Amino acid sequence: MLVAVMGAMSVQPARAADADALYRLLHPKSCLGCDLSRAELPDGIDLSGYDLSKTRFDGARLRGANLQGADFGGADLTGADASGANLRAAKLGTAKLAGIDFSRAQLDADFSGIDLTRARFKGSELNGNRFNRAQLGDADFSESKLVGVDFGKAVAQRADFSASRIENTHFVGAVLSGASFRDLQVQSYNVGKPIDFSGADLNGADFNGANCRGKSFRICARTDAATTCPAGNKGPCLDFGSALVARNREALISSSQCKGCDLRGATLDNKGGARIVLDGADLRSASLYRFNAPDGSFVDAKLQGADVVGDYTRAKLQGADLRADRLMGTFVEAQMQGADLSGADIQMSDYRRANLVKAKLNNTLVYGTDLRGADLTGADVQGLRYGNTAKTDATTTCPNGKPGPCAW
């Protein structure tokens, strides 16, 4: 192994570690105070249980290394590449870790109070780790799985949590201004244990696409009067999108119009009104509970994953993406030609005389839905759920163009 290590280092343009340091690294499982800065150690090298106290690994390559139980007390790992390494039970408490790459690494360390500025945890699985008061500016946690992780009072401006999956993870009092939570997924949600942002600074944070098991992120996030919301206002926060989403929400409330607006994840509960116009708006994962928009216009709007419950009598929904979590309430005489309701829950709702010509109703839940007088000519009803309980009669035009009652 010694020969392999020396060979790997000999091609380095940077200063190679001396032979004595290499020997001490491998005999006898200790390298106290060694200088291995910028060294390229063989991928997967086994240094488990080693005493590496005060060793210099700044800029070194430790990819896939077995560092389980190793002691890095006072070591310098600044900018080191430890991607894919096994660091379970490793002692990292007093090590210098700014800029280190822990991507896809196995970690169970307590990082409380440590400087991890620009550190990379991309694709890692963190379970029960503590980052209390850690310095995490520009750190990368994207595409990671975070279970029971505590970021209390961490300073994490511009940190990247995009496309991560989280459970029982908390950010109480953390500084998260400018952080990205785009497409964040809360995989399991306990009503008694929400994702806690109490007292956190979320000014400018981006939550576009963040969701709680496919629903609005807000339902599984706790904020309070001490929280600074993404738009810069004090909480409790209603919107978890971006500052732009918050501004669009206010514009809609004041003018009843916001064509083509980005309202992803916005909470619009009880903020509807007759003749409201949201043509082409992006309302994915938004909450429109009791929104009530009779005669409103949502032509070509995107409502995938939204919670839509209210009065939409005569609303214009042609070509809209209505693959909502719920699409329930009153849709009497709604214009829904070519709309996509695939997989939506429209059960026990009133769709009398609705125009559903060429609409997509694949796997749509229609238990007890009133479709009397509705026009379903050319509609795709493959996999329609509980179609036999939907109310149709001779005034209904079935998908085959013939009068009902419809036989799905």
Side-chain angles (χ1 to χ4, degrees), residues 335-392:
Q335 301 299 306
M336 308 173 81
Q337 302 96 310
D340 188 351
L341 291 78
S342 302
D345 181 354
I346 68 171
Q347 64 178 321
M348 306 303 293
S349 297
D350 192 348
Y351 279 74
R352 287 177 296 157
R353 301 185 298 283
N355 188 334
L356 289 156
V357 172
K358 295 185 178 180
K360 294 180 180 179
L361 294 159
N362 312 90
N363 301 307
T364 303
L365 178 57
V366 295
Y367 182 84
T369 304
D370 195 341
L371 292 165
R372 290 175 293 180
D375 188 349
L376 293 151
T377 303
D380 187 346
V381 294
Q382 184 176 1
L384 192 72
R385 292 183 286 168
Y386 295 99
N388 61 321
T389 70
K391 300 174 184 176
T392 62

Side-chain angles (χ1 to χ4, degrees), residues 148-166:
V149 181
D150 190 350
F151 290 94
K153 296 186 178 180
V155 179
Q157 305 102 317
R158 301 174 303 280
D160 187 359
F161 295 90
S162 60
S164 286
R165 298 161 293 159
I166 64 174

Side-chain angles (χ1 to χ4, degrees), residues 221-244:
R222 173 186 290 160
T223 59
D224 61 11
T227 304
T228 302
C229 301
N233 58 297
K234 286 296 183 179
C237 306
L238 293 175
D239 296 315
F240 281 93
S242 63
L244 173 61

Side-chain angles (χ1 to χ4, degrees), residues 118-194:
R118 298 182 304 281
R120 290 171 55 83
F121 294 85
K122 186 181 180 73
S124 296
E125 292 195 12
L126 303 176
N127 195 328
N129 299 79
R130 296 171 62 85
F131 291 89
N132 303 81
R133 295 183 172 83
Q135 297 296 316
L136 293 165
D138 297 296
D140 185 359
F141 289 89
S142 62
E143 301 176 20
S144 296
K145 184 174 182 180
L146 310 174
V147 180
V149 181
D150 190 350
F151 290 94
K153 296 186 178 180
V155 179
Q157 305 102 317
R158 301 174 303 280
D160 187 359
F161 295 90
S162 60
S164 286
R165 298 161 293 159
I166 64 174
E167 301 175 24
N168 191 30
T169 292
H170 306 294
F171 300 86
V172 176
V175 178
L176 295 158
S177 51
S180 175
F181 293 89
R182 293 179 68 92
D183 300 318
L184 183 79
Q185 299 178 46
V186 179
Q187 292 201 300
S188 66
Y189 169 52
N190 186 325
V191 175
K193 294 182 178 180

Side-chain angles (χ1 to χ4, degrees), residues 44-45 62-68 81-88 101-107:
I45 189 171
L62 293 160
R63 295 177 190 169
N66 182 1
L67 304 170
Q68 189 170 8
D81 181 357
S83 55
N86 180 358
L87 290 117
R88 296 198 182 284
D101 189 349
F102 281 135
S103 298
R104 302 176 306 284
Q106 301 175 55
L107 298 160

